Amino acid sequence: SSQLSSLPLQILLYVNGIYYIFYFLTTLAMIIYKSQVFSYPDDLLAPDLTVLFLMAILEIPRLYLGFKGNLTEAEAPLGLSLGLTVGSVVLCVYLLLWQTYVLWADVLLNALLLSAYGLESGLKVMAIAAFVS
Amino acid sequence: VARLCVCDLLVAQCDVNCCCDPDCSAQDFSLFTACSVPVVTGDSQLCSQKAAVYSLDVEANPPERIFKLIDQVNPSIFCIHATNYEQALYLKSPEIPTPENFDQLLDKFGGATFSAEHDSWNLDTDAQNPPDANETSRYEYGVPVQTEDEFLRLPSPVVSSWCSDANPAGFLVNQATKCIRSVSVEKCDSIQALSMLFYINSSILAVPKSSQMVNITVQSIVVQSLNGMRTLLSSSDVLRLPMVLDELCINAVLGVNYHITHTDTGEIIEAAAAFVLGAISKEALSIEQSFEISFTQENTQPVPLSGNPGYVVGLPVRAGFQPQGYPFPAAFLSNKHSQLTILQSSSTQDCLAAQGARAPVLFGYNMISGCKLRITAAMKCQPLAQTLLDVLKGQSFPEYVASFGNSQAQDVLDWVPITQLHISEQMISHTLQSSCQIPVSLGIEVKWTKYGSLVNPQARIVNVTATITSTTLKQLPSGRERIIPITSSVVFTDISSPAEPSYKAWPTINIKLPFDFFYPFV
């Protein structure tokens, strides 16, 4: 068959989108919980919230470009999506390691997201290779 | 955690039943019965942390302490895995003064009060004013009265009897203080606190943080001579400054009495100061200065309240007269002189020689007083009865008593009439009406009740009854005399009914269908 679009990548992108919504809401709720239960001064709360919202803002074009690139078999959007994934990975690592309070639930969520990103990146590279050749 | 011990209170000594105490030896441990502190851990919110567990092994002989260092795991999914904020789980330690932050710390903590008020004196920060305008647009009780540079000072003794000038006068706080100031006659014109200017030169702000000023006027000057005699000066507009004259320092301020007039919205409109100036002799090393401040609301007579609103135990019961007005009286006459008073027992105990000294009736204090009346045969009945009535009731016995401690004279309903009863003890055998009746006792019974909320009940006078008991005066054979005791008493009775707590009604959901709900069918 001459279908070059990667089915696993599509599935993964779709699942990633749903998981990300859950991840965003949960992390926001946990930051609110932490700010009530622990001592969370404002100048430490601001960076954590900024990173979370920045990640959300990055995620939307990232997923859209991924879908578009994979379905239209074009490498440019897929490449751009890969670039945005790098940014998302950095922010995810921040939330995993350098947040003010890292709860066990935080570790789980971020680890899952990181592994999804890693798998996605691998599949995207393979898809780009398939489209180019 | 192995080194932490909460129960180790005694230094270099073994604390009883403290298993983590490093000062205890194995012999001490064998005497313990239990471990008061079984586990020492860090914050329990952490996912995994070291915990020191202490326990006593009572099976062994002698009992020995078991110390284990274990890893305690918090199974919750919201346990803290890591933190990047060092102070998160510890108490904040105070700032250590260093040469850099010393000035700032001194500003904050070095004054007589730990307050940030120093920043608010900065009139340049107008940006702050609009949000605070509502709260500080008037003075409230206790707020220091502000002047141009700082606040109105009322020197008072702080730790010792020496005057401290840093005591601010609080709004509506009537104060009277006396303190000692060290002086020297040679330098008396340079000591600021002895000069009138010091007390009146800065104008008072009408409202906090505003630019409206109220000048302090000199109300009166009283000059006190060295032997203590005081003379009121007729012209009080001349400022008299202290100066040295013949080894005396004259015109030194010995007392200041501030009178501040304010509106009912907390704005100061007038300020006046009455001075007592005196002379200081060369030998005097210190003088006593007295200061007083009183606040009056504009257009009112300063009548001291006996409670707000309920009566306060120990304050005089306020009473007054109803002026003759038809059909209804407009207001009551009540001033400092119309008080409910009771006969005051004197040392001579002779009713007729009584000087007319009367004691005010204080709320809540039952009083009894009396005197002895010596009746001779020559005394006529009617004048005697009248005199005794005057002795018992006083010159102006009021007709109404204020129901609340702060009843205003205009509120007619807040005043309770005094019921006057006459009881005559008549001997049954002598029922002649024409026989002489003289009053022998006056009993005032004040019935009061608790009024208002359960948590803060206010005392309210409900009923006042003045009972005069008279007895017949039997005619004495000439030459004989009798001594009759005359008594007067005041009794306060609490007639409050038991309190019933009442609660607000549950809110009801009021659902009603619209009028034409069933339109097509009805």
Side-chain angles (χ1 to χ4, degrees):
Chain A
S1 71
S2 60
Q3 182 198 331
L4 297 172
S5 307
S6 160
L7 181 61
L9 178 60
Q10 195 65 21
I11 298 174
L12 194 55
L13 282 174
Y14 187 72
V15 167
N16 193 351
I18 298 176
Y19 175 71
Y20 189 77
I21 297 171
F22 165 75
Y23 166 88
F24 177 77
L25 291 172
T26 316
T27 308
L28 188 62
M30 283 206 293
I31 289 184
I32 295 172
Y33 164 77
K34 281 183 262 186
S35 74
Q36 300 300 310
V37 171
F38 305 123
S39 114
Y40 214 143
D42 283 341
D43 51 351
L44 289 174
L45 184 59
D48 290 349
L49 279 176
T50 316
V51 163
L52 184 62
F53 280 96
L54 207 59
M55 211 162 114
I57 293 172
L58 273 184
E59 192 72 10
I60 301 166
R62 189 187 78 90
L63 285 174
Y64 173 74
L65 288 169
F67 274 114
K68 184 159 159 221
N70 192 24
L71 291 175
T72 58
E73 297 177 3
E75 341 47 80
L78 218 48
L80 211 53
S81 176
L82 199 57
L84 287 175
T85 308
V86 172
S88 285
V89 161
V90 168
L91 295 175
C92 185
V93 163
Y94 173 90
L95 286 178
L96 176 63
L97 292 179
W98 301 312
Q99 225 185 94
T100 310
Y101 290 98
V102 183
L103 304 184
W104 183 234
D106 274 322
V107 171
L108 279 175
L109 286 173
N110 283 296
L112 258 179
L113 196 64
L114 263 182
S115 55
Y117 283 163
L119 205 54
E120 242 177 58
S121 304
L123 287 172
K124 276 184 197 160
V125 166
M126 281 173 27
I128 292 178
F131 297 156
V132 166
S133 65
Chain B
V1 272
R3 287 175 288 130
L4 286 175
C5 197
V6 182
C7 54
D8 179 13
L9 300 166
L10 300 168
V11 176
Q13 273 185 53
C14 184
D15 291 83
V16 180
N17 274 349
C18 186
C19 296
C20 52
D21 195 342
D23 309 313
C24 294
S25 63
Q27 283 169 316
D28 296 317
F29 287 130
S30 60
L31 298 170
F32 291 169
T33 51
C35 279
S36 58
V37 172
V39 179
V40 179
T41 64
D43 196 314
S44 59
Q45 304 257 33
L46 294 171
C47 284
S48 131
Q49 53 181 317
K50 289 235 174 284
V53 178
Y54 300 93
S55 59
L56 273 184
D57 181 13
V58 286
E59 305 292 322
N61 188 7
E64 50 186 39
R65 174 199 77 163
I66 304 177
F67 165 63
K68 277 190 292 211
L69 205 61
I70 60 169
D71 282 318
Q72 198 181 46
V73 170
N74 183 350
S76 159
I77 198 171
F78 296 121
C79 64
I80 301 177
H81 186 252
T83 86
N84 290 305
Y85 172 43
E86 302 85 31
Q87 298 152 291
L89 306 167
Y90 304 99
L91 292 172
K92 189 173 162 186
S93 41
E95 275 182 75
I96 308 280
T98 62
E100 290 81 49
N101 65 5
F102 188 76
D103 287 318
Q104 178 225 35
L105 283 178
L106 184 66
D107 268 336
K108 219 162 132 195
F109 300 115
T113 53
F114 283 2
S115 67
E117 258 167 286
H118 269 271
D119 302 331
S120 68
W121 298 119
N122 203 350
L123 293 172
D124 300 317
T125 56
D126 279 294
Q128 282 180 2
N129 282 343
D132 293 340
N134 262 344
E135 303 158 40
T136 54
S137 61
R138 60 196 180 132
Y139 279 108
E140 289 178 1
Y141 177 85
V143 168
V145 175
Q146 295 180 14
T147 64
E148 272 173 303
D149 37 1
E150 287 184 338
F151 37 70
L152 188 66
R153 283 171 297 251
L154 206 72
S156 63
V158 180
V159 177
S160 58
S161 319
W162 297 98
C163 287
S164 148
D165 288 329
N167 180 39
F171 187 67
L172 289 187
V173 178
N174 295 336
Q175 275 180 306
T177 57
K178 278 199 209 255
C179 56
I180 305 179
R181 206 178 281 277
S182 66
V183 295
S184 77
V185 178
E186 298 87 47
K187 293 189 282 171
C188 89
D189 44 359
S190 59
I191 300 179
Q192 269 204 320
L194 290 178
S195 126
M196 274 172 69
L197 264 182
F198 180 65
Y199 298 100
I200 59 172
N201 66 348
S202 55
S203 343
I204 299 181
L205 301 181
V207 278
K209 295 191 197 144
S210 81
S211 48
Q212 247 183 316
M213 305 285 187
V214 174
N215 284 329
I216 307 182
T217 57
V218 177
Q219 195 177 31
S220 66
I221 302 182
V222 167
V223 174
Q224 179 170 319
S225 67
L226 274 176
N227 58 5
M229 197 161 75
R230 291 186 174 188
T231 335
L232 177 66
L233 289 186
S234 49
S235 66
S236 53
D237 38 357
V238 175
L239 211 60
R240 290 165 159 259
L241 294 175
M243 52 188 184
V244 186
L245 193 74
D246 293 339
E247 297 191 349
L248 286 180
C249 176
I250 62 169
N251 293 339
V253 172
L254 292 183
V256 185
N257 203 328
Y258 288 104
H259 296 280
I260 314 264
T261 313
H262 65 98
T263 64
D264 52 356
T265 55
E267 199 185 306
I268 294 181
I269 48 176
E270 251 181 70
F275 287 92
V276 174
L277 300 179
I280 310 176
S281 60
K282 199 160 185 244
E283 303 86 36
L285 291 173
S286 63
I287 52 163
E288 187 185 59
Q289 290 184 313
S290 63
F291 300 93
E292 205 184 309
I293 187 167
S294 63
F295 290 87
T296 343
Q297 195 168 322
E298 61 168 345
N299 299 333
T300 60
Q301 291 294 338
V303 172
L305 295 179
S306 297
N308 198 11
Y311 272 102
V312 172
V313 169
L315 293 183
V317 171
R318 292 177 54 222
F321 297 91
Q322 190 188 76
Q324 302 302 317
Y326 179 80
F328 301 110
F332 285 93
L333 282 173
S334 166
N335 52 28
K336 284 189 283 235
H337 304 291
S338 64
Q339 273 188 341
L340 195 60
T341 54
I342 192 179
L343 168 75
Q344 190 170 39
S345 310
S346 61
S347 52
T348 57
Q349 289 194 357
D350 189 353
C351 293
L352 298 175
Q355 305 289 338
R358 300 190 69 80
V361 172
L362 303 176
F363 185 80
Y365 287 178
N366 297 342
M367 297 199 266
I368 187 165
S369 62
C371 56
K372 288 197 176 31
L373 175 69
R374 222 168 50 149
I375 305 183
T376 58
M379 282 188 184
K380 297 259 184 297
C381 178
Q382 264 315 105
L384 185 63
Q386 192 53 43
T387 316
L388 279 179
L389 209 58
D390 279 340
V391 164
L392 281 173
K393 283 172 117 179
Q395 287 305 318
S396 56
F397 193 70
E399 301 163 8
Y400 285 83
V401 166
S403 183
F404 286 105
N406 67 348
S407 294
Q408 299 295 319
Q410 309 89 277
D411 304 325
V412 177
L413 295 173
D414 269 348
W415 294 77
V416 171
I418 299 184
T419 319
Q420 312 234 6
L421 291 181
H422 277 270
I423 298 180
S424 49
E425 290 170 8
Q426 279 183 331
M427 314 282 189
I428 301 184
S429 49
H430 306 266
T431 45
L432 293 167
Q433 291 290 5
S434 59
S435 65
C436 183
Q437 298 271 326
I438 53 163
V440 284
S441 90
L442 167 70
I444 303 179
E445 192 183 357
V446 181
K447 293 201 179 87
W448 63 278
T449 171
K450 292 202 193 87
Y451 187 79
S453 68
L454 264 184
V455 261
N456 190 12
Q458 304 296 314
R460 176 191 185 172
I461 292 184
V462 180
N463 191 334
V464 179
T465 314
T467 312
I468 303 250
T469 312
S470 322
T471 179
T472 51
L473 180 63
K474 286 199 298 251
Q475 195 59 26
L476 285 171
S478 71
R480 303 277 299 278
E481 56 180 38
R482 249 175 82 191
I483 297 186
I484 309 181
I486 309 284
T487 55
S488 63
S489 64
V490 180
V491 171
F492 286 86
T493 325
D494 180 0
I495 57 163
S496 5
S497 44
E500 285 170 13
S502 62
Y503 303 94
K504 272 170 78 159
W506 277 99
T508 52
I509 302 176
N510 210 0
I511 304 181
K512 274 215 203 94
L513 294 174
F515 179 65
D516 51 358
F517 193 69
F518 295 115
Y519 168 60
F521 307 102
V522 170

